[in-house]
Amino acid sequence: MKTALGFVLILFLCSLHWRSTAQSCVDEAFSGDRSYSSCSSLPYLNASLHWTYHPSNASLDVAYRALQSSSGWVAWAINPTSSGMAGANAFLAFPNPTTGATTVYTTQISSTGLIPSDVADGNLTFAVYGREAEYSSAGGYYTIYASLELPGNDTQQNTVWQASTTFSDGVPYGHRFSGDNVLSFASLDFSVQGGGLTN
């Protein structure tokens, strides 16, 4: 009996934690009076995703926010072909190695065996209408803003996010291959409030 009660208590506490985590993104505010119709507190790497889906042209406005030191980097991506990092179309925010200003790259992650020269600012496999990033010293987080075309006109997308403090030749390169860093991917339906996040 005690074991059963203990199990029920654990389930109850876990559900409370999940509910409080899932609702925390609602209170986040953004510069430039930006606002979004939906959000999801992502389960790993202290990150959240906010978005507004425009069904008239299958486009998406997003704000990806993640806790990180000012000397580190964060990334958010859509992968049109798989659930992992290989094949992902990524937005990376990091400090410019010369000026220190927050920089945002768009880059295709062709495989998990990248070399530093592969991390370059370029086109993605879908249209990007706008992008920018900022760092909040007060909050200790990066925010990536982007407007983009949903690949294949499909609201259900594989998403991936990442964070690290390692660089090579001034660009983000490498991260831990354990813990939250290898769990940070999920399928989201951008037409659904909260995204219906599933791994």
Side-chain angles (χ1 to χ4, degrees):
M1 185 70 170
K2 287 182 179 179
T3 302
L5 285 173
F7 181 70
V8 170
L9 179 62
I10 288 170
L11 285 178
F12 175 72
L13 292 173
C14 285
S15 71
L16 285 180
H17 171 73
W18 171 252
R19 263 180 264 160
S20 66
T21 302
Q23 292 171 0
S24 63
C25 65
V26 175
D27 300 322
E28 293 178 329
F30 301 96
S31 64
D33 293 323
R34 294 177 175 94
S35 62
Y36 300 89
S37 61
S38 191
C39 72
S40 179
S41 292
L42 301 175
Y44 306 106
L45 300 177
N46 297 306
S48 63
L49 185 68
H50 298 248
W51 69 89
T52 298
Y53 168 58
H54 304 284
S56 60
N57 61 359
S59 68
L60 197 69
D61 296 326
V62 299
Y64 171 76
R65 176 167 289 175
L67 291 177
Q68 180 59 285
S69 68
S70 60
S71 58
W73 60 266
V74 302
W76 177 78
I78 286 178
N79 190 331
T81 59
S82 182
S83 61
M85 187 59 76
N89 287 243
F91 297 82
L92 297 93
F94 60 98
N96 182 289
T98 304
T99 66
T102 301
T103 301
V104 59
Y105 271 15
T106 51
T107 190
Q108 295 183 45
I109 310 297
S110 57
S111 72
T112 55
L114 291 179
I115 58 175
S117 60
D118 292 330
V119 184
D121 193 23
N123 294 327
L124 301 183
T125 61
F126 48 83
V128 176
Y129 307 120
R131 57 177 177 157
E132 62 181 282
E134 62 189 19
Y135 185 79
S136 169
S137 297
Y141 53 74
Y142 280 100
T143 306
I144 297 172
Y145 301 103
S147 296
L148 55 104
E149 169 192 55
L150 280 173
N153 196 18
D154 191 353
T155 61
Q156 187 84 34
Q157 297 289 338
N158 299 313
T159 64
V160 190
W161 60 100
Q162 198 50 260
S164 181
T165 56
T166 60
F167 291 80
S168 181
D169 297 331
V171 297
Y173 183 71
H175 60 80
R176 290 177 57 206
F177 285 93
S178 62
D180 287 0
N181 293 83
V182 296
L183 299 172
S184 53
F185 62 93
S187 176
L188 281 173
D189 187 340
F190 291 107
S191 68
V192 175
Q193 187 71 23
L197 183 140
T198 57
N199 282 102

